[in-house]
Amino acid sequence: MHVTITENQPITFQAEAKKILQNIQTATSICPVRHVLDRIGDKWSFLCILHLGAADTLRFNELRKQIGDVSQRMLTVTLRSLEADGLVQRHVYAEVPPRVEYQLTPLGHSLLVAFSGLGTWANAHAQEVAQARQAFAAREKGDG
Amino acid sequence: MHVTITENQPITFQAEAKKILQNIQTATSICPVRHVLDRIGDKWSFLCILHLGAADTLRFNELRKQIGDVSQRMLTVTLRSLEADGLVQRHVYAEVPPRVEYQLTPLGHSLLVAFSGLGTWANAHAQEVAQARQAFAAREKGDG
DNA sequence: CAGCATCCCGTTCGATACTG
DNA sequence: CAGTATCGAACGGGATGCTG
């Protein structure tokens, strides 16, 4: 296979992508990476994991307040989903008034670490992306 | 602040999450991490970046064939979006029949690297997640 | 070959009301 | 407090047909 890559980008990136693709192809039928992205790509899972990771333990409404703009429904749905995936642990206390606490499982913590690379990238390149967007919009206007 | 964390999880995870949240809070109004996830959380962006990273340069239909189950419309929309974000470069050749080639920009390559952590995690823990799901489903059935 | 425009459907998600 | 249930709007995304 003929390979040409821009000089400022070492060949490693390509190898990395191929490795991931390999793993995807190897998967029985549904790609695990796709699944993970389906899970954390939704609007709230990522933030839930982040906040739970930062605070260790949070009650339902504490978490809701920290995230800010999540509806009660979506927070419930998201937390149940994370719980089903074994990423979040749910503790229900038989008290009045009711108290439910959430925290990350070890698996959830490990995912948080995997996230951090993405978080770092986002913060490092957010401006570049914003500039690219502006440049693209300007170009569009010029062409159209 | 009182901190209790399970013994098998070093404190670093928490610090990591706090750091990311710090950066999120710092952002003017829209969190860059959220933006990135909005971008790559959609159904196809991630796969586009992966395949382009692995193959270096791909034509429209080549990319479409590699991804497999993407509609023409969604591939177009996705690629335009990635182009707007400065992650993908689009080369149009004034030929008959038309030829359009896509490849990652350096920025796109750097994102690919950030992805790899997630890809690794997904492949490493896919089974654990699947098992957790099954256990959860069984528990649900037992409770309900 | 590459891509845009239109239609249409399923899913997602917010708002609201009710429960233990 | 921490949910569940239901409804309706909004959006994503597939199928189809048409252009350069």
Side-chain angles (χ1 to χ4, degrees):
Chain A
M1 177 187 174
H2 178 69
V3 168
T4 330
I5 209 160
T6 35
E7 296 84 329
N8 53 345
Q9 290 304 330
I11 198 74
T12 328
F13 297 136
Q14 197 162 17
E16 193 62 52
K18 283 186 183 172
K19 203 178 65 188
I20 299 176
L21 278 175
Q22 274 291 321
N23 290 328
I24 291 179
Q25 315 292 3
T26 314
T28 325
S29 86
I30 179 95
C31 141
V33 180
R34 285 276 290 271
H35 179 83
V36 170
L37 277 191
D38 280 359
R39 165 80 33 258
I40 62 99
D42 76 15
K43 223 177 167 188
W44 306 114
S45 295
F46 176 75
L47 285 175
C48 282
I49 291 178
L50 226 52
H51 281 279
L52 286 176
D56 184 45
T57 300
L58 285 175
R59 297 179 59 171
F60 185 86
N61 276 339
E62 284 175 347
L63 182 53
R64 189 177 174 196
K65 201 177 297 181
Q66 292 216 5
I67 295 179
D69 54 343
V70 63
S71 68
Q72 186 185 44
R73 172 188 147 85
M74 287 319 295
L75 186 54
T76 302
V77 171
T78 302
L79 285 171
R80 284 292 184 289
S81 180
L82 291 173
E83 190 192 357
D85 281 352
L87 299 170
V88 163
Q89 184 72 33
R90 183 164 172 264
H91 301 278
V92 183
Y93 297 86
E95 298 176 1
V96 176
R99 178 161 60 105
V100 180
E101 291 185 345
Y102 295 90
Q103 61 180 346
L104 291 186
T105 63
L107 191 61
H109 275 110
S110 71
L111 180 55
L112 181 57
V113 175
F115 276 158
S116 71
L118 212 54
T120 305
W121 185 92
N123 283 301
H125 298 283
Q127 211 165 10
E128 286 180 68
V129 172
Q131 286 171 1
R133 278 192 162 283
Q134 285 181 11
F136 185 81
R139 226 179 307 140
E140 285 290 272
K141 210 168 61 179
D143 290 353
Chain B
M1 175 186 175
H2 179 68
V3 168
T4 330
I5 209 160
T6 34
E7 295 85 329
N8 54 346
Q9 289 304 329
I11 197 73
T12 329
F13 296 137
Q14 197 163 18
E16 192 63 49
K18 282 185 183 172
K19 205 179 64 188
I20 300 176
L21 277 175
Q22 274 291 322
N23 291 327
I24 291 179
Q25 315 292 3
T26 315
T28 326
S29 86
I30 179 95
C31 141
V33 181
R34 286 275 291 271
H35 180 82
V36 170
L37 278 191
D38 280 357
R39 165 79 37 256
I40 61 101
D42 74 17
K43 223 177 166 189
W44 306 114
S45 295
F46 175 74
L47 285 175
C48 282
I49 291 178
L50 226 52
H51 280 279
L52 285 176
D56 184 44
T57 300
L58 285 175
R59 298 180 59 173
F60 186 86
N61 276 339
E62 285 175 348
L63 182 54
R64 192 180 170 192
K65 200 176 299 180
Q66 294 217 5
I67 295 180
D69 55 342
V70 63
S71 69
Q72 187 185 45
R73 173 188 144 86
M74 286 319 296
L75 185 54
T76 303
V77 170
T78 302
L79 285 171
R80 282 293 183 287
S81 181
L82 291 174
E83 190 192 356
D85 281 353
L87 299 171
V88 162
Q89 185 71 34
R90 183 165 171 264
H91 300 279
V92 183
Y93 295 87
E95 298 175 1
V96 176
R99 179 161 60 104
V100 181
E101 290 184 347
Y102 295 89
Q103 62 179 343
L104 292 185
T105 63
L107 191 61
H109 275 109
S110 70
L111 180 55
L112 181 56
V113 174
F115 276 157
S116 70
L118 214 53
T120 304
W121 186 93
N123 283 301
H125 299 282
Q127 211 165 10
E128 285 180 68
V129 172
Q131 285 171 2
R133 277 191 165 284
Q134 284 180 12
F136 185 82
R139 225 178 309 140
E140 285 290 271
K141 210 167 60 179
D143 290 355

